[in-house]
Amino acid sequence: MIDPFGRNVSYLRVSVTDRCDFRCVYCMSENMTFLPKADVLSLEELDRLCSAFIDKGVQKLRLTGGEPLVRRNIMSLVKNLSRHLKTGALKELTLTTNGSQLTKYATKLVDYGIKRINVSVDTLDADKFREITRWGELEKVLAGIRAARDAGLAIKINTVALKDVNEGEIESMVRWCGEEGLDMTLIETMPLGDIGGERADQYLPLSKVRARLNEALTLSDIDHKTGGPARYTAVKETGRMLGFITPLTHNFCEGCNRVRLTCTGTLYMCLGQDDAADLRTPLRASESDDGLHTAIDEAIGRKPKGHDFVIDRKGAAPALERHMSVTGG
Ligand code: SAM
Ligand code: SF4
């Protein structure tokens, strides 16, 4: 699938549910209205849609959400999709999780061919963790990370940099990742969805974080490419990688190889734009995948050049109305 700017779209991220057992302050408001269950695709329909994308050239697929591991029976989808790993059509099946269910699922994930996962952790202070996630328990997540590591999964920690919240803790988190054998990626907050608070208060530019880290650690740029937007550095003191995702201070769109599917079958060709394609209608219209393939081709033909995020003014509306939990980050 080649888009109008010559980019090869080979990476699909699928939000399998918009629901979550946490309510992170930068991601959701306390009282969320979730999608009606009737609008959500069944796991069989999600499998058919994902498989159509794999037929069309998708080689990497990431399950996300909401929290992917709280969707009922999610392991049956993982198991079914793993058939494409066996044929070699899919090179990687992975997921992004908040870690709360990993003690339960780590071994199964490995059984179904998953080799690495991303786990989101913004602080190692249990009280602060509760404040950020509103509903989460740090100890449970740390136990999940240990279970995943013991099961043989490679883990990358995703940490959203939050002004005045975890900004003083980032260096110690980088060191902790080193001790635990984990890579890490720092993320800037993106203006997605009403969160019932002020985003300008949360926003911490990673240029500032990196400058501060440079005073204590030796970071050197490396040419590690995952097909994602992160720029990677090697941390001499820990021997691990540290990535920076800077949608606001650095535009990462030139090399974008991905599209995002929601659990209702809506395809977003860009995380930062509203244009979307409805794939549920062609999916349900026929047992043949022909109409679906045509709809996918049309959508890829509209993939925009890039996003226009800005968080500059107090009181500004979010750049987009939908929450990150809908498109899955
Ligand atoms: N629930 C899973 C998790 O937290 O890892 C998967 C979905 S979550 C939406 C995916 C990633 O997006 C997480 O690392 C989260 O920290 C990040 N995220 C959520 N809202 C964000 C925002 N407004 N700006 C930047 N990152 C955000
Ligand atoms: Fe849930 Fe992940 Fe959003 Fe936190 S970031 S509320 S864990 S979907």
Side-chain angles (χ1 to χ4, degrees), residues 201-220:
D201 292 341
Q202 300 180 342
Y203 176 59
L204 173 63
L206 288 186
S207 47
K208 218 167 145 185
V209 175
R210 186 166 174 172
R212 213 174 293 155
L213 284 176
N214 270 331
E215 291 168 14
L217 296 164
T218 323
L219 308 184
S220 42

Side-chain angles (χ1 to χ4, degrees), residues 20-24 26-28 65-67 98 325:
C20 187
D21 54 342
F22 290 4
R23 290 287 180 279
C24 301
Y26 49 79
C27 178
M28 293 192 180
E67 174 46 41
N98 65 24
S325 47

Side-chain angles (χ1 to χ4, degrees), residues 261-276:
L261 186 66
T262 73
C263 59
T264 56
T266 302
L267 187 74
Y268 285 94
M269 285 71 83
C270 172
L271 178 64
Q273 301 281 357
D274 277 324
D275 187 31

Side-chain angles (χ1 to χ4, degrees), residues 20 91 249 322:
C20 187
K91 301 270 180 291
T249 50
R322 65 179 192 274

Side-chain angles (χ1 to χ4, degrees), residues 19-32 34 131-136:
R19 288 162 201 256
C20 187
D21 54 342
F22 290 4
R23 290 287 180 279
C24 301
V25 291
Y26 49 79
C27 178
M28 293 192 180
S29 66
E30 199 149 15
N31 302 306
M32 291 287 289
F34 292 108
E131 269 169 47
I132 296 173
T133 62
R134 292 194 184 105
W135 296 3

Side-chain angles (χ1 to χ4, degrees), residues 110-130:
V110 173
D111 290 347
Y112 298 145
I114 294 197
K115 296 210 161 30
R116 43 181 206 132
I117 58 173
N118 291 354
V119 185
S120 305
V121 183
D122 302 321
T123 175
L124 293 172
D125 173 312
D127 294 334
K128 220 179 257 182
F129 190 84
R130 172 54 65 118

Side-chain angles (χ1 to χ4, degrees), residues 13 15 17 19-22 24-28 63-69 95-99 118-122 157-162 185 187-193 195 199 202 247-248 271 311 323-329:
R13 299 173 70 112
S15 173
T17 176
R19 288 162 201 256
C20 187
D21 54 342
F22 290 4
C24 301
V25 291
Y26 49 79
C27 178
M28 293 192 180
L63 303 179
T64 172
E67 174 46 41
L69 296 180
L95 87 159
T96 301
T97 172
N98 65 24
N118 291 354
V119 185
S120 305
V121 183
D122 302 321
I157 300 295
N158 279 346
T159 302
V160 176
L162 297 163
T185 296
I187 308 173
E188 280 174 351
T189 51
M190 296 175 230
L192 297 184
I195 49 167
R199 282 214 192 263
Q202 300 180 342
L248 298 157
L271 178 64
I311 303 184
H323 288 89
M324 189 71 117
S325 47
V326 172
T327 30

Side-chain angles (χ1 to χ4, degrees), residues 12-15 46 49 53 259-263 265-267 279:
L12 177 69
R13 299 173 70 112
V14 186
S15 173
L46 276 173
L49 252 182
F53 274 95
V259 287
R260 295 174 159 83
L261 186 66
T262 73
C263 59
T266 302
L267 187 74
L279 299 182

